Amino acid sequence: MKKILGYSIVMLALVFATTSCDDVLDQKAVDAFNEESVFEDLNLTKAYLGRCYDFIGVDNNMLLGLREDILSGATDEVLCIHRPGGYPFVKGNMSPDELGHFGNWRFNWITWNLYSNIKNVNVLLANIDNVPTENAGQEAQLATYKAEAYFIRAFDYVNLMRSYGGLVLVDQPFELDQDFLSTTRSSLDETLDFILADLDKAIAGLPTKDNMDQGRATKGAAAALKSRVLSWSTGELMHGGYSSDALVSFKSKSRTSLLSDAQTIAKAIMDGTYGDYSLNGGTDDPPSPLTQADVEEYSATFSSNFTQKGEWNDEAIWGVQHLQAQGNRTTQNRWWGPCGYHNWGNNGPNEPVVRAFEMADGILFGTNTIRATRKFAKQLLLNWKLTLK
């Protein structure tokens, strides 16, 4: 009897011990989250959306393509002095084996790498309707997050379309057993329609800038992106000027209709339909002739748009402020500023671009100016030679 009682006590102790161990070990991690746990909490869902913003330009170190090498360097507008070997497209010898910066991280904000962030957004959109809410305020928050996700996806697809034309349109999370071999690219018409549908959802669900945290998407930002992509789509090259292939040429949209749609949305933005916006400094014609004080005033007004701190002025529709104190920083001034001022002098404008602008006194850059410049250069060279002697 004592043995039976002893065995019973031992068994009960084991049962309690096992149950206790199960309870201790069966805990959710507090320092890491899986996909299931993220979309069980409104705040974690917001944090996940924040990372989608961070990677809207592929990596969170240089947002929105703000790199040392700017995209104009891939054209005849500016010259990148540091990596001429990275620009085979300017020399006309770009190939699938030699893509230059289009094949590395410097231009990855407009290349296939954007699909990594599109994948993240698709995961959010597939799960966001299941996030629990406790009141109408939280439901409104969730609806705004969803609209922001549509904006981010549209933004990334716009940059991809600008590079490649018709795209592989993905709007659902990938599955491990998915048949990727059956995936094909959509036409340019289908790609634009997909982007416009996302932007319409974003416009419908987003608040205006006065009711949104600065830096997050708004009605005005989504409407401006819609006008921009429609305007870009009016280009001659996308209407048979390069090829008649449906991947790079529109078939069901005319340049006239696309431009009309772009103008209509742009006018609505100007009229305040999507929030209050206005040009910094006004729209009156400048005085003639311009005095030096006038020039300095206009210059200060224009440059102030790019050096704003705190609350943006009404000309800013959407963008990112780089706050060094928070680790989110960039150094364009050093990269692009002129040599001789402790800068690197990268991305210098070529002569045809310089000729497109007036001189400081308002005179066109013409023959007389060129002759005067050459005379000055010859005198400078002569003085330099005399100094060497």
Side-chain angles (χ1 to χ4, degrees):
M1 185 64 182
K2 290 183 180 180
K3 289 184 178 181
I4 294 175
L5 182 60
Y7 286 139
S8 299
I9 293 173
V10 171
M11 290 300 295
L12 286 172
L14 288 174
V15 169
F16 282 121
T18 303
T19 304
S20 178
C21 289
D22 287 343
D23 292 339
V24 171
L25 296 177
D26 188 18
Q27 299 291 323
K28 290 185 177 181
V30 295
D31 59 347
F33 306 96
N34 58 24
E35 181 178 313
E36 180 181 337
S37 60
V38 165
F39 298 107
E40 291 177 345
D41 183 273
L42 186 66
N43 291 324
L44 291 180
T45 301
K46 180 182 180 180
Y48 184 97
L49 175 65
R51 293 303 281 168
C52 292
Y53 272 112
D54 287 341
F55 288 88
I56 198 170
V58 175
D59 63 76
N60 65 343
N61 183 38
M62 298 178 181
L63 290 168
L64 308 178
L66 294 176
R67 313 293 172 92
E68 180 187 347
D69 297 66
I70 60 177
L71 197 56
S72 296
T75 72
D76 57 358
E77 295 177 358
V78 304
L79 175 67
C80 176
I81 65 172
H82 289 160
R83 282 164 290 278
Y87 293 87
F89 24 82
V90 176
K91 303 174 184 178
N93 37 355
M94 183 176 176
S95 70
D97 296 324
E98 181 51 76
L99 295 174
H101 290 341
F102 286 103
N104 61 40
W105 67 270
R106 295 190 182 275
F107 284 170
N108 64 1
W109 56 277
I110 54 169
T111 64
W112 297 112
N113 296 280
L114 287 171
Y115 275 106
S116 62
N117 199 46
I118 290 172
K119 176 205 68 174
N120 295 335
V121 174
N122 286 340
V123 169
L124 185 146
L125 289 172
N127 291 277
I128 196 167
D129 290 338
N130 299 323
V131 177
T133 56
E134 297 179 358
N135 51 57
Q138 291 187 353
E139 290 177 7
Q141 279 184 272
L142 207 59
T144 299
Y145 299 161
K146 189 173 184 178
E148 289 178 82
Y150 282 122
F151 171 84
I152 294 171
R153 188 168 71 179
F155 188 96
D156 282 341
Y157 269 127
V158 165
N159 280 334
L160 283 171
M161 187 177 77
R162 291 170 61 197
S163 294
Y164 302 109
L167 303 171
V168 175
L169 299 175
V170 183
D171 61 358
Q172 296 293 328
F174 293 121
E175 301 293 340
L176 292 177
D177 58 350
Q178 190 167 330
D179 179 16
F180 294 102
L181 294 178
S182 63
T183 303
T184 58
R185 288 172 65 182
S186 299
S187 69
L188 192 57
D189 288 272
E190 293 168 336
T191 300
L192 179 59
D193 288 340
F194 182 93
I195 292 170
L196 295 179
D198 270 3
L199 288 173
D200 285 339
K201 294 173 186 174
I203 293 171
L206 288 169
T208 59
K209 66 174 185 176
D210 294 332
N211 299 303
M212 191 57 145
D213 297 333
Q214 186 166 288
R216 292 171 64 182
T218 62
K219 282 187 185 296
L225 182 58
K226 184 176 181 180
S227 179
R228 179 182 184 183
V229 69
L230 285 168
S231 178
W232 176 88
S233 299
T234 64
E236 183 178 352
L237 293 179
M238 281 74 73
H239 293 267
Y242 169 73
S243 169
S244 60
D245 193 312
L247 291 175
V248 294
S249 183
F250 288 108
K251 300 299 181 183
S252 63
K253 297 174 174 61
S254 70
R255 298 176 69 186
T256 302
S257 64
L258 289 168
L259 182 58
S260 177
D261 291 343
Q263 290 174 325
T264 299
I265 299 169
K267 184 63 166 59
I269 296 172
M270 295 169 64
D271 291 341
T273 303
Y274 304 107
D276 294 327
Y277 300 99
S278 62
L279 291 178
N280 185 25
T283 58
D284 294 337
D285 291 335
S288 181
L290 285 170
T291 65
Q292 183 61 31
D294 292 329
V295 172
E296 292 177 359
E297 181 182 355
Y298 279 108
S299 176
T301 298
F302 177 75
S303 63
S304 68
N305 289 320
F306 305 96
T307 57
Q308 298 181 62
K309 296 181 179 180
E311 185 177 356
W312 285 331
N313 63 33
D314 286 335
E315 186 167 337
I317 295 180
W318 184 72
V320 175
Q321 284 188 355
H322 291 264
L323 306 177
Q324 186 172 355
Q326 297 181 12
N328 185 15
R329 60 197 177 106
T330 187
T331 55
Q332 280 88 359
N333 288 346
R334 181 179 65 184
W335 297 335
W336 306 341
C339 295
Y341 294 86
H342 306 290
N343 300 312
W344 297 358
N346 207 0
N347 304 305
N350 292 325
E351 184 178 344
V353 175
V354 175
R355 287 172 178 263
F357 290 85
E358 299 173 346
M359 304 296 288
D361 57 5
I363 298 175
L364 293 176
F365 194 99
T367 304
N368 293 336
T369 309
I370 295 174
R371 287 174 180 169
T373 304
R374 288 174 177 169
K375 182 179 179 180
F376 173 77
K378 288 180 180 179
Q379 185 63 47
L380 188 66
L381 181 60
L382 178 62
N383 292 343
W384 178 67
K385 288 181 178 179
L386 291 174
T387 301
L388 289 180
K389 291 180 179 181

